[in-house]
Amino acid sequence: MTTTETAKKISRERIAELRDREAAALDARTQRSREMYARAAEHLSGGVASSYQLRDPWPIYLEGGQGATVRDVDGNEYWDFHNGFGSMVQGHAHPAIGKAVAERYPNGTHFAAPTEDAIVVGDELARRWGLPKWRYTNSGSESTMDAIRIARAYTGRDTVMKIFGSYHGHHDTVMVSIGVEYDKIGDRENLASLAYGGGIPQATVDMTVAVPFNDAGAMERRIERLAQEGRLPACVIMEPAMMNLGVVLPEPGYLEAVREITHKHGIVLIFDEVKTGLCIAPGGATDKFGVTPDMVTLAKALGGGLPSGAIGGSEEIMRVVEDGTVYQVGTYNGNPLSMAAARASLLDVLTPDAYVRLDRLNERIVTGCQDIVDRYGLPGYAVGIGSKGCVTFSPEKVVDYETFKANQDADLSELAWLFNMNRGIFMTPGREEEWTLSVTHTDEAIDAYIACFEELARDLTA
């Protein structure tokens, strides 16, 4: 890993110069997106369907994608390393999934009644995650919202504990302590609960308590203080590997310690695997790290491009759903099209061989980027797991939100995004996101990414 002692000092003026050059080039080649943005802004708030699709001066509008590539409305073709915020690890328009959906469509697209595919998907998820009971939702936000409700009903408690800086969806309980300046959040041992945007009641914010990632001691000490206050948490909801600060992996022994702490205090441990899940191993982070939580939440890659989510849990905890204590409901839960897509994805696409391929490709891209970091003395390092990875532009290893805010170079990250977009690499905007490979990516795609990154390194250090 590059350290502050070995990394070159990159000129801020050079970064700004390159950023202006690349931004102008991207604007010039996306003029139809500019025109579409003006049209969209008339009736779509902000011109987009979700605030995470925003970009200044305009979003890049896409019109199609096949396999590992996408094209925008200007006709620009890209290798897709964005993959729908990590949803499309199967690749775009995968024929096995398309066939399953096409065969399902003439037999009806929605009944609000159970179908056989939902049974098959539940059986396969139970096999992969080692959790026996499952329910469906339509998004990651719904999955985490319902999982927290189930945990509260099971324990009879209200307080929720999460990791500071982690995103778990857009419902009020977890829109707390995400993207804020670190010097505003108080002592590390007693981090503040802060709303992420407007419209969230303070009473809800106060019921959610955040602790740092990769610090089991801080978690347990906060739990003990909450217990003394009569506020023992119902659950700890966490990503087993943080996926919205680039990629932050758990330190050795951390997840095992969290499992022990939550078990000791009778707290439900929820692994939010919406972004890890099917993207990093057949059974997600639960499989990869060998630590089984009480509950797991899935979405994104589950549906192969169709809206779908799931909640898995132990027999004991999910009993509050089966006995009617908790109404886990949703008109589109287990939608026939989504279940047909998920079944085909699980059984025919995301096979053990697919994960061997993803691991090989990701090892190539991580190794290639790290070699460039080392040769050019860049302040950063490459990290990856499964189909996920990134170059973290930080001279120090990022282990939690505090080290991310203290060290991550936002200007370099923005420049890297512009470089990628101008050279046919479609990436997620923002410095807090990572690449996602698909099973349709090739060595050619990996070579293109590495070549683009080396061009960036040469221009930065010229």
Side-chain angles (χ1 to χ4, degrees):
M1 179 185 300
T2 300
T3 67
T4 51
E5 287 75 29
T6 60
K8 293 180 180 177
K9 187 172 179 60
I10 305 298
S11 163
R12 309 315 296 181
E13 292 77 13
R14 181 61 172 160
I15 294 173
E17 175 190 347
L18 291 173
R19 188 177 64 232
D20 290 346
R21 182 191 79 184
E22 296 296 321
L26 184 60
D27 289 350
R29 62 202 295 270
T30 58
Q31 287 298 299
R32 286 201 66 197
S33 277
R34 178 184 64 81
E35 295 166 4
M36 191 164 285
Y37 177 59
R39 174 181 155 207
E42 182 175 0
H43 294 299
L44 282 177
S45 293
V48 292
S50 164
S51 293
Y52 283 155
Q53 297 172 8
L54 287 168
R55 173 193 166 262
D56 185 41
W58 53 78
I60 308 301
Y61 290 83
L62 297 188
E63 67 175 15
Q66 286 76 39
T69 65
V70 292
R71 65 185 177 277
D72 66 21
V73 294
D74 285 272
N76 298 306
E77 295 271 351
Y78 307 85
W79 292 109
D80 189 5
F81 286 80
H82 179 319
N83 273 309
F85 284 114
S87 297
M88 300 306 302
V89 72
Q90 303 88 349
H92 299 288
H94 194 288
I97 296 173
K99 179 175 182 288
V101 173
E103 290 177 352
R104 172 72 257 180
Y105 189 87
N107 292 317
T109 61
H110 186 64
F111 310 115
T115 61
E116 184 182 10
D117 283 346
I119 301 171
V120 176
V121 171
D123 289 346
E124 181 65 7
L125 294 177
R127 184 187 72 80
R128 292 188 181 211
W129 264 266
L131 292 169
K133 293 293 185 178
W134 290 80
R135 275 291 181 95
Y136 300 117
T137 67
N138 300 285
S139 69
S141 292
E142 290 178 37
S143 292
T144 59
M145 178 179 68
D146 286 359
I148 288 170
R149 181 176 297 157
I150 291 166
R152 281 171 159 164
Y154 173 73
T155 60
R157 307 174 197 146
D158 296 332
T159 302
V160 170
M161 179 169 281
K162 68 180 292 286
I163 300 299
F164 200 101
S166 280
Y167 178 79
H168 297 291
H170 60 258
H171 54 98
D172 289 357
T173 298
V174 291
M175 287 284 276
V176 177
S177 299
I178 303 175
V180 298
E181 293 305 316
Y182 204 84
D183 59 4
K184 297 178 181 176
I185 67 174
D187 181 80
R188 180 181 180 84
E189 292 286 317
N190 195 41
L191 297 176
S193 297
L194 302 169
Y196 184 51
I200 303 169
Q202 188 60 44
T204 300
V205 172
D206 292 340
M207 283 196 294
T208 300
V209 176
V211 295
F213 192 62
N214 272 324
D215 191 340
M219 175 183 286
E220 182 158 34
R221 289 187 292 274
R222 193 70 187 268
I223 288 171
E224 289 170 348
R225 290 195 297 275
L226 289 169
Q228 292 171 2
E229 298 167 14
R231 299 178 60 206
L232 192 65
C235 62
V236 169
I237 184 167
M238 62 181 293
E239 291 184 297
M242 292 186 79
M243 288 283 165
N244 68 324
L245 306 181
V247 174
V248 181
L249 300 178
E251 292 294 296
Y254 170 66
L255 294 178
E256 291 84 352
V258 169
R259 174 67 283 187
E260 182 180 344
I261 290 164
T262 51
H263 180 74
K264 179 171 69 174
H265 291 278
I267 297 168
V268 176
L269 177 59
I270 305 170
F271 277 179
D272 176 1
E273 293 222 47
V274 168
K275 294 194 77 171
T276 53
L278 293 163
C279 288
I280 71 169
T286 300
D287 174 8
K288 194 81 167 180
F289 298 118
V291 177
T292 302
D294 299 302
M295 301 182 74
V296 68
T297 58
L298 301 175
K300 292 196 186 297
L302 176 63
L306 276 71
S308 185
I311 306 161
S314 67
E315 292 266 8
E316 184 179 9
I317 289 173
M318 294 298 277
R319 194 169 296 125
V320 299
V321 175
E322 295 186 342
D323 68 15
T325 301
V326 171
Y327 295 103
Q328 195 278 324
V329 296
T331 297
Y332 277 84
N333 289 1
N335 169 264
L337 288 180
S338 295
M339 290 296 100
R343 177 178 182 169
S345 176
L346 289 168
L347 301 185
D348 301 326
V349 181
L350 299 181
T351 62
D353 286 346
Y355 289 99
V356 172
R357 175 181 175 80
L358 287 170
D359 287 341
R360 182 186 70 79
L361 290 174
N362 211 27
E363 177 65 22
R364 278 203 65 216
I365 193 171
V366 170
T367 301
C369 288
Q370 185 62 52
D371 175 64
I372 292 165
V373 166
D374 294 339
R375 284 193 286 113
Y376 288 87
L378 299 183
Y381 60 94
V383 59
I385 181 172
S387 69
K388 300 275 192 174
C390 68
V391 174
T392 297
F393 289 107
S394 166
E396 304 293 340
K397 183 179 181 181
V398 172
V399 297
D400 58 13
Y401 190 77
E402 180 179 13
T403 49
F404 172 81
K405 292 297 286 186
N407 295 291
Q408 175 76 332
D409 193 320
D411 294 335
L412 262 181
S413 297
E414 180 185 357
L415 176 60
W417 182 81
L418 290 166
F419 250 79
N420 280 319
M421 292 293 290
N422 282 325
R423 289 155 185 81
I425 307 291
F426 194 69
M427 287 292 291
T428 310
R431 64 190 179 120
E432 300 170 351
E433 294 295 337
E434 68 284 327
W435 68 62
T436 301
L437 306 181
S438 79
V439 298
T440 59
H441 273 69
T442 61
D443 287 304
E444 182 185 0
I446 303 305
D447 291 342
Y449 190 101
I450 293 171
C452 177
F453 186 53
E454 181 150 24
E455 184 179 349
L456 167 65
R458 280 198 306 267
D459 276 8
L460 276 171
T461 56

